[in-house]
Amino acid sequence: MTRKFNPFEHNYFLGYVSQVFPQFIKVHFPSSVLLNGFTHFGEEYNGGLVGNFVVIEGDQFGFLGRITELSLPESERLSLNEKAFQTNDFHPTGKIEILLSFDLFEPLKVRKGLTAHPNIGAKVYVSSSILVQEYMSRFGIKTEAEKVSTYNLGTLVANPQIEVSVNLQSVFGRHCAIVGTTGSGKSYTVSKLIESLSSLGGIGLLIDATGEYNDLQYDTENINIGDGTNVFHYSQLTVDDLFFLFRPSVRTQAPKLLEAIRSLKMVELNNGNAFNESGQTVNVVDGIVKKTNSPKRPFDAFYYRNINRIEDNTASFDIKKLIPQIIEECVYDNGVNWGGKSDSDASFCVSLISRINNVINTPEYNKIFGFHKSKDTNDLTDAINSFIEGSEKQTLRLNFENVKFEYQVREILANSIGRFLLNKARNKDFVSNPLVVFIDEAHQFLNKSVNDEYFDTKSLDAFDSIAKESRKQGLFLSISTQMPRDIPHGTLSQMGTFIVHRLINYNDKEAIVNACNSANRNTLDFLPILGEGEAILTGVDFPMPIIMKFHEPSCKPDSKTPNIFTRTKTDKKK
C-alpha cells in the first residue's frame, strides 16, 4: 500500500467509535484540538468539520464516512466561555454517516452495501482528498473500456480542492433526473452534462421547453418548431394521438371516428379505387367511402385481407377527408348491407365534427402537424433519423419556444416524439448507436392528461414507457424539473441517477426520498441549504452520495432573471 492511499496514518487521527448504528456511528474525540485544520505533505486538511470525510478502521474492512453532527457533552457545555476555549481542552462527540466499506489491504476496492460495521473503540481518521477523489472516479466502472468515459464535473462542496470526476456511463446509463427549485442551477447542470456527453463522443437530443439553450454550441444542430418550417407530420401520429386531439365521447363519437379512420386507411391502401367482391361494389368518390345503401361484403373482404396494415395504429390517410367520412359512417347497419342516413348518429357527431374542423384548421396545429401539407423533407422525424444515422453533430436541439400552450399542443407533440423514439428503440435502432434524450422542464410533458367533459382521461405516457423499457435498448432519459412531485412515480423510480439541487417544498423532497433509496435522509437534510450550482449526486452506481458544486458550462443557458427596475424610456412614456 503506497503512502498516499494509506487511509490510516496516525497523523490523520481524530477519535474513537463510541456507538454503532445500522446507518451511522457516534465518535468520541479525545481532544477538541484534533478537530483543527492542518497541513500534511503539502495537502490541506480541514479536520473535523460537518460535511468532511473520515475513514474508520475495522477488523476486516475499512469504512468511509461523512461527519453530519458535532456536539459537546452536557457537562462541558456549562463551562463554555471565551477564556475556556483558549485554555481548556474539550472532548466533543460527533455523528458520522457511513457511506461505503472497502478492503483493508486494497483501499481502492469498494464493496457494495454494508455487510459489516466498525467495532466500539475503532479509530477514526481524517480522509485524504486523494483517496476520496479516487473513489469517485472509479464509481460505476466495471471494465477498462469504461474508464475513458470519466469526466470532471465539479468539486466537493466541503473540500473545493477535491475534483469530482465521475464515469458518465454511470450518470446516463440508468436514466438521470436533475431536480431543484428555480435559480438553483439546474439549467447550468443540464448544459454541463450535454457538454460532457459531447466532449466524450456521445450523442444527445434536447427538448428545449423555453428556448433558453439558444446559444448551445456543443457541436449542436438546432431545429425550431412552431413556425411551420419543420413539422411533425400528422401521418407520423398514431390513432391514439388523434383521439387525444379530437377527444371523442365514448359511446357514439369514438366508434364513428374509428370507423372513419379505418375507411380512409382502406382507401389509401386501395389507391382510391372502389371495393369490388363477387359482383358487388362499394363506391369511393373523391376519396370518400360511400356507405349509404351499399353492400358490406366487398368492404369487409378487403378489410380482412389487409387487417394488419389497417390496424397498425398509424394515421396514414388523408385527414382532410375525415369529416365527410364521419358523415358517411352515420348510416344504419342492416347486417349484410348499410341502409340510409341515421339522423340520430349524425346529431351525436356534430360536436366531434366541430372539434376536428377546429383542430385541422387552427394555425397552431397546422404549424406543428402540417394537416394541409404533404410529408416532405422538412418533416421532423426525417431530421431526427438523419441526426441519429450519421450526422456530424453531437447534439440535436428541438426548440419548443414557439410552440403554443393552447390545445395542449406541447404535451401531444413531445409525447409523439417520445413515441417515435420508443418505436425506434423497440426496433433495436439504438443498440449500436445509443442516444441520451434531455427533457428540460419535464413536468410540462410527463404524466400530462387530455381532459374533456365527455372524453375519458388518458395519459400521454410515451416517456414513461421509455423509462421503463428502453435502457437496455440504448435509449436513455435525462429529465430536468423544478417539481419532481409532478413527475409520475413510476418514471421517477426508474431514474438510476439523481442530481438534486436545492429543494424546499416538502412534497418535492419526499418524491426524491421515495424514489432515491441510496441517498438516505441524513444526506438529503442538506437539500434546503445547498447554494447555487451545488447539488447531491447519487445513484445506483454511486456507493455514496456526493455533495458537489458543478463547474460552470462553457455555453451558459439564458436563464437570467430580468431586472425589475430596468425600463426603457419608451416604456416610461407608456
Side-chain angles (χ1 to χ4, degrees):
M1 186 188 303
T2 60
R3 185 202 64 79
K4 67 177 180 179
F5 290 136
N6 177 13
F8 307 119
E9 287 197 18
H10 178 72
N11 293 304
Y12 304 162
F13 175 74
L14 281 179
Y16 301 96
V17 174
S18 59
Q19 285 183 284
V20 179
F21 299 89
Q23 290 289 338
F24 64 91
I25 61 172
K26 288 193 174 181
V27 179
H28 167 71
F29 302 103
S31 171
S32 56
V33 176
L34 294 171
L35 300 180
N36 296 336
F38 61 95
T39 301
H40 190 246
F41 284 100
E43 182 179 353
E44 292 186 2
Y45 294 83
N46 292 325
L49 299 177
V50 171
N52 281 3
F53 290 98
V54 298
V55 288
I56 304 105
E57 190 174 20
D59 287 340
Q60 298 179 352
F61 306 105
F63 303 88
L64 181 70
R66 181 189 288 116
I67 299 175
T68 60
E69 182 180 306
L70 292 171
S71 62
L72 285 176
E74 185 67 31
S75 58
E76 296 186 358
R77 294 178 195 170
L78 300 177
S79 60
L80 283 178
N81 56 60
E82 185 176 352
K83 183 177 180 180
F85 269 117
Q86 296 175 354
T87 59
N88 294 354
D89 191 11
F90 292 97
H91 307 86
T93 60
K95 180 179 177 181
I96 295 176
E97 175 189 5
I98 301 177
L99 301 173
L100 56 84
S101 60
F102 54 85
D103 191 289
L104 278 177
F105 302 99
E106 295 182 68
L108 298 180
K109 187 177 181 180
V110 175
R111 297 176 58 89
K112 282 194 172 183
L114 289 178
T115 57
H117 289 79
N119 296 326
I120 298 292
K123 293 182 179 180
V124 179
Y125 303 83
V126 177
S127 176
S128 164
S129 62
I130 298 176
L131 183 68
V132 177
Q133 203 163 308
E134 281 292 325
Y135 281 148
M136 292 186 296
S137 67
R138 293 165 183 255
F139 288 163
I141 295 180
K142 302 177 180 64
T143 64
E144 286 295 319
E146 291 182 353
K147 289 184 178 180
V148 300
S149 60
T150 300
Y151 193 88
N152 183 0
L153 291 176
T155 60
L156 290 180
V157 170
N159 304 86
Q161 72 273 16
I162 300 180
E163 298 287 341
V164 179
S165 296
V166 298
N167 175 23
L168 293 186
Q169 179 67 29
S170 298
V171 174
F172 297 118
R174 296 180 182 272
H175 304 310
C176 176
I178 304 103
V179 302
T181 57
T182 300
S184 61
K186 293 190 310 301
S187 299
Y188 275 42
T189 298
V190 171
S191 185
K192 188 65 181 178
L193 290 176
I194 295 174
E195 175 186 336
S196 65
L197 180 70
S198 176
S199 298
L200 297 182
I203 62 172
L205 185 152
L206 169 64
I207 295 179
D208 184 358
T210 60
E212 64 179 313
Y213 298 91
N214 275 326
D215 296 327
L216 203 66
Q217 297 172 4
Y218 309 127
D219 206 9
T220 303
E221 177 182 348
N222 292 292
I223 294 181
N224 295 318
I225 307 173
D227 59 3
T229 304
N230 294 279
V231 300
F232 190 98
H233 197 261
Y234 74 86
S235 61
Q236 301 292 321
L237 298 176
T238 65
V239 173
D240 290 335
D241 292 329
L242 293 182
F243 270 61
F244 291 143
L245 287 170
F246 302 144
R247 311 180 190 185
S249 61
V250 176
R251 293 187 178 181
T252 302
Q253 295 179 358
K256 294 301 180 185
L257 175 59
L258 191 57
E259 285 299 326
I261 291 173
R262 285 172 178 159
S263 297
L264 293 177
K265 291 179 74 172
M266 290 170 65
V267 171
E268 287 287 325
L269 289 173
N270 202 33
N271 299 316
N273 298 318
F275 300 99
N276 297 295
E277 185 76 22
S278 302
Q280 296 180 322
T281 300
V282 176
N283 291 318
V284 175
V285 179
D286 194 23
I288 308 300
V289 180
K290 295 296 182 178
K291 290 188 175 181
T292 306
N293 299 316
S294 297
K296 295 177 63 177
R297 183 173 180 179
F299 186 88
D300 291 342
F302 185 89
Y303 172 78
Y304 286 111
R305 283 198 299 268
N306 299 276
I307 188 170
N308 290 332
R309 297 177 66 184
I310 296 169
E311 300 294 351
D312 63 0
N313 202 32
T314 65
S316 53
F317 62 90
D318 187 351
I319 202 166
K320 295 187 294 294
K321 309 291 186 183
L322 187 56
I323 291 177
Q325 187 61 58
I326 289 175
I327 295 173
E328 276 297 324
E329 301 296 335
C330 296
V331 294
Y332 290 104
D333 188 341
N334 296 328
V336 297
N337 64 284
W338 290 293
K341 180 180 178 181
S342 171
D343 292 331
S344 60
D345 286 352
S347 64
F348 281 129
C349 290
V350 168
S351 59
L352 172 63
I353 291 171
S354 177
R355 282 194 295 273
I356 294 173
N357 184 64
N358 184 46
V359 167
I360 65 177
N361 291 295
T362 296
E364 285 81 5
Y365 274 108
N366 270 306
K367 290 179 180 179
I368 302 299
F369 299 116
F371 292 122
H372 294 281
K373 291 185 177 182
S374 60
K375 191 175 186 300
D376 53 27
T377 54
N378 287 332
D379 186 72
L380 188 56
T381 57
D382 291 338
I384 295 174
N385 279 329
S386 297
F387 169 75
I388 294 170
E389 292 170 3
S391 172
E392 296 180 356
K393 302 294 185 179
Q394 297 296 127
T395 306
L396 176 64
R397 172 177 166 266
L398 305 181
N399 183 15
F400 274 51
E401 182 180 11
N402 295 320
V403 179
K404 303 298 183 182
F405 286 87
E406 291 83 357
Y407 312 110
Q408 295 184 289
V409 175
R410 284 178 162 241
E411 295 93 320
I412 294 172
L413 172 61
N415 189 71
S416 300
I417 294 172
R419 192 179 301 279
F420 172 75
L421 295 172
L422 175 63
N423 290 333
K424 290 183 70 66
R426 288 169 174 170
N427 291 331
K428 314 294 184 183
D429 290 355
F430 300 116
V431 173
S432 59
N433 201 15
L435 176 70
V436 180
V437 179
F438 295 88
I439 307 177
D440 187 42
E441 305 293 347
H443 53 274
Q444 292 187 13
F445 308 117
L446 275 62
N447 199 37
K448 291 297 181 179
S449 299
V450 176
N451 301 298
D452 188 83
E453 183 180 359
Y454 302 105
F455 177 63
D456 281 355
T457 299
K458 288 189 176 182
S459 295
L460 302 170
D461 57 358
F463 290 108
D464 189 57
S465 297
I466 289 175
K468 292 176 180 177
E469 63 179 89
S470 294
R471 178 177 62 85
K472 294 182 179 179
Q473 311 301 335
L475 180 60
F476 307 101
L477 277 182
S478 183
I479 63 175
S480 171
T481 179
Q482 57 186 282
M483 293 185 289
R485 65 184 181 275
D486 286 349
I487 304 299
H489 178 71
T491 303
L492 209 58
S493 65
Q494 295 299 315
M495 299 293 111
T497 304
F498 284 86
I499 299 174
V500 190
H501 289 270
R502 182 176 65 252
L503 281 178
I504 299 174
N505 183 276
Y506 173 80
N507 293 326
D508 287 331
K509 289 190 290 185
E510 284 301 302
I512 298 301
V513 169
N514 293 332
C516 183
N517 294 326
S518 60
N520 58 43
R521 290 180 180 271
N522 288 329
T523 301
L524 295 178
D525 285 342
F526 287 91
L527 287 178
I529 61 172
L530 291 175
E532 185 176 351
E534 298 176 355
I536 297 174
L537 169 61
T538 183
V540 175
D541 287 332
F542 295 88
M544 69 178 192
I546 302 171
I547 304 176
M548 62 176 291
K549 182 176 180 63
F550 277 82
H551 290 317
E552 287 193 359
S554 56
C555 297
K556 299 177 179 61
D558 183 14
S559 55
K560 294 180 181 178
T561 303
N563 191 327
I564 299 173
F565 304 102
T566 301
R567 293 192 303 171
T568 63
K569 292 181 178 180
T570 302
D571 290 331
K572 290 181 179 180
K573 290 179 181 180
K574 291 180 180 180

